[in-house]
Amino acid sequence: MRSICEILELAKADTDYMETVLKDFEPLVKKYARKMFFLEYEEAFQELELAIIEAVHRIEIYPSDAQCVTYISRAVIYAYRTQCNQNIRKVKCVNLDEIYPYWENFSDIEFFADLEKKFCSLSASQKTLLLLLIQGESDSEIAELLHVSRQYVNKAKKKLFTH
């Protein structure tokens, strides 16, 4: 039986071995592809598989299988973080002051206190979603603005309102 380092070396020239490598790292790729909510699952999966292929072609031979696995795993994690950072730069965050005119319609002080308390407990992405909903954006418009699927927006709304 060949070591992982040997398989990685062979994968540089042989597509059958590359498929073996991709199959071996599939659980890791699936884990991070599911976390990339801003991309469709298949697209995220392909991006991470490309990261593995690139890492295989860049890898130097390490003396142990553990070092080889660590190298490939870190390449997947780096690709995941890069995609997340690119998505963060695309998202337009809404300032609370921008929606103040919408608040003028409410006269109940307790409502404002409850809303402020709720708002402070939300994550940044939940705050953005809530502000876009308050501004009257549709699910499709929010999905387009945040570069996510409409289904993700629906899930996030459900989670937001049960929070």
Side-chain angles (χ1 to χ4, degrees):
M1 186 168 172
R2 295 183 190 268
S3 72
I4 294 172
C5 291
E6 291 172 340
I7 292 172
L8 290 175
E9 187 61 34
L10 292 169
K12 291 180 181 183
D14 188 341
T15 57
D16 291 335
Y17 282 105
M18 184 61 77
E19 287 177 20
T20 301
V21 170
L22 292 174
K23 197 68 158 167
D24 289 344
F25 284 94
E26 189 172 330
L28 181 68
V29 171
K30 284 181 178 180
K31 173 184 173 183
Y32 283 98
R34 279 191 292 272
K35 291 181 177 187
M36 295 169 70
F37 61 88
F38 47 87
L39 292 176
E40 295 296 327
Y41 178 77
E42 278 73 30
E43 188 178 342
F45 192 87
Q46 289 174 356
E47 287 290 329
L48 297 175
E49 278 190 330
L50 282 173
I52 291 175
I53 293 168
E54 290 171 359
V56 167
H57 287 290
R58 282 192 319 260
I59 193 170
E60 298 294 324
I61 298 303
Y62 288 108
S64 75
D65 284 349
Q67 289 174 319
C68 291
V69 169
T70 299
Y71 183 86
I72 301 297
S73 298
R74 286 185 179 165
V76 170
I77 294 167
Y78 178 78
Y80 164 75
R81 288 181 179 163
T82 301
Q83 287 291 324
C84 289
N85 287 336
Q86 288 174 353
N87 182 61
I88 287 170
R89 287 187 204 112
K90 290 178 187 175
V91 173
K92 176 191 171 212
C93 291
V94 180
N95 187 344
L96 194 57
D97 295 333
E98 292 177 14
I99 65 159
Y100 183 73
Y102 296 99
W103 288 22
E104 291 175 350
N105 298 332
F106 302 107
S107 60
D108 189 359
I109 300 298
E110 289 179 23
F111 174 78
F112 279 122
D114 290 343
L115 184 60
E116 184 176 6
K117 183 179 177 183
K118 172 79 171 174
F119 195 78
C120 290
S121 70
L122 299 175
S123 69
S125 60
Q126 288 174 321
K127 286 178 186 178
T128 302
L129 176 65
L130 180 60
L131 293 173
L132 290 170
L133 288 168
I134 289 171
Q135 290 176 340
E137 302 288 344
S138 70
D139 291 354
S140 299
E141 292 167 333
I142 293 170
E144 188 176 324
L145 283 170
L146 300 179
H147 304 284
V148 298
S149 69
R150 200 179 86 253
Q151 291 81 7
Y152 173 77
V153 172
N154 287 329
K155 264 195 235 178
K157 273 180 26 183
K158 186 176 181 178
K159 185 177 178 184
L160 178 69
F161 294 129
T162 58
H163 182 249

